[in-house]
Amino acid sequence: MEFLVIGTGRSGTGYMSKLLTSNGKPCGHESIYGLPVNFVRYQSIEKKLNYKGDSSWLAVPFIPQILSINPETTFIHIVRNPIDVIKSFLELDFFNDINLRNSPYVRLVSDNINLKGKTQLERAIAYYIGWFEMIESNNIKNKIFLQLENIDYDLLSSTLGVEIKPMNKVINDKKNKKRITLNRKDVKQQIENSSRFLELKEIVKKYNYEL
């Protein structure tokens, strides 16, 4: 595998898969790093699929294993404004109590970070912070980060050695799975009032977001 697109869920990994594939870099979307979670299974799938890379937030806990096998793997960290990521998770009712017990996606998160907090907002913030910290804790030799809202196509092209041309940015908003629709300003205010706001603000500042 030449490259791996990583980030939080709801940050554009699906879009990146389509973008890279349309520009001659066949890229799966959770096609290798998907469910069920099993690194040996991932290695087996990788050998069978004709992909240059995969785009998956589920790959983050396995970065150490990936680097141990191929330290030259290029990582593309796609980032999105935390307000929009957290808003999306809240609208999907992702971090509810039932999912904490039964969802394999949420279980993967809770197995790797502390989802402290009684509310879904607190859990979503804890997830965002924890996933970034997990990515940053690895000594990744070849890594770039891109803002979903303002992708640097020149940087992406030079990193992958092929011209990457923009395409219509249609983010999978999972409208059919939304439980509710929230006002962005209201979500922003709730985030600013949360106990971990300053911590979140410091993390995203490194990725050129101001909260």
Side-chain angles (χ1 to χ4, degrees):
M1 189 167 58
E2 293 180 12
F3 62 87
L4 184 61
V5 182
I6 55 174
T8 66
R10 316 305 304 139
S11 63
T13 53
Y15 170 75
M16 290 297 293
S17 171
K18 294 176 183 177
L19 174 70
L20 298 177
T21 298
S22 70
N23 283 278
K25 285 288 186 179
C27 178
H29 178 224
E30 299 175 14
S31 301
I32 299 173
Y33 292 91
L35 295 178
V37 175
N38 184 293
F39 189 70
V40 174
R41 171 179 171 272
Y42 295 156
Q43 290 178 288
S44 175
I45 294 174
E46 182 181 342
K47 293 175 182 177
K48 296 176 182 177
L49 297 180
N50 187 30
Y51 288 131
K52 298 293 185 182
D54 197 26
S55 184
S56 175
W57 69 274
L58 302 169
V60 170
F62 302 97
I63 292 175
Q65 291 98 314
I66 296 167
L67 290 173
S68 69
I69 294 171
N70 184 7
E72 299 302 318
T73 300
T74 295
F75 287 82
I76 300 166
H77 184 186
I78 185 74
V79 299
R80 184 185 184 191
N81 192 300
I83 297 171
D84 298 306
V85 171
I86 292 166
K87 174 177 176 289
S88 183
F89 275 118
L90 294 177
E91 290 176 333
L92 292 172
D93 199 25
F94 190 80
F95 290 108
N96 65 47
D97 291 341
I98 295 174
N99 283 349
L100 282 177
R101 296 190 299 270
N102 300 327
S103 167
Y105 293 101
V106 180
R107 201 157 52 240
L108 174 66
V109 175
S110 61
D111 284 347
N112 287 277
I113 63 174
N114 182 4
L115 283 180
K116 55 186 175 183
K118 295 181 179 180
T119 69
Q120 290 203 52
L121 175 71
E122 292 170 325
R123 293 166 186 168
I125 293 173
Y127 163 68
Y128 193 99
I129 292 172
W131 228 240
F132 270 74
E133 289 178 340
M134 195 162 18
I135 293 172
E136 294 174 352
S137 68
N138 290 279
N139 184 23
I140 302 175
K141 178 181 177 182
N142 301 314
K143 184 180 76 170
I144 63 170
F145 84 86
L146 302 169
Q147 282 189 337
L148 178 65
E149 300 87 352
N150 187 29
I151 292 175
D152 187 335
Y153 290 96
D154 290 336
L155 174 60
L156 185 56
S157 298
S158 62
T159 298
L160 295 179
V162 62
E163 184 179 7
I164 304 295
K165 298 179 180 179
M167 61 180 287
N168 290 333
K169 193 182 296 180
V170 179
I171 306 302
N172 177 14
D173 62 6
K174 296 190 176 183
K175 288 181 180 179
N176 61 324
K177 293 186 178 182
K178 284 185 179 181
R179 302 290 181 87
I180 55 175
T181 298
L182 299 174
N183 180 284
R184 191 179 189 276
K185 289 184 179 179
D186 291 342
V187 174
K188 182 176 184 293
Q189 185 64 56
Q190 292 176 45
I191 292 172
E192 290 174 349
N193 291 337
S194 71
S195 61
R196 301 191 72 182
F197 172 66
L198 293 180
E199 189 178 352
L200 178 65
K201 184 176 181 179
E202 284 302 308
I203 284 179
V204 300
K205 186 185 296 184
K206 292 181 283 187
Y207 299 89
N208 301 327
Y209 290 107
E210 290 292 337
L211 294 182

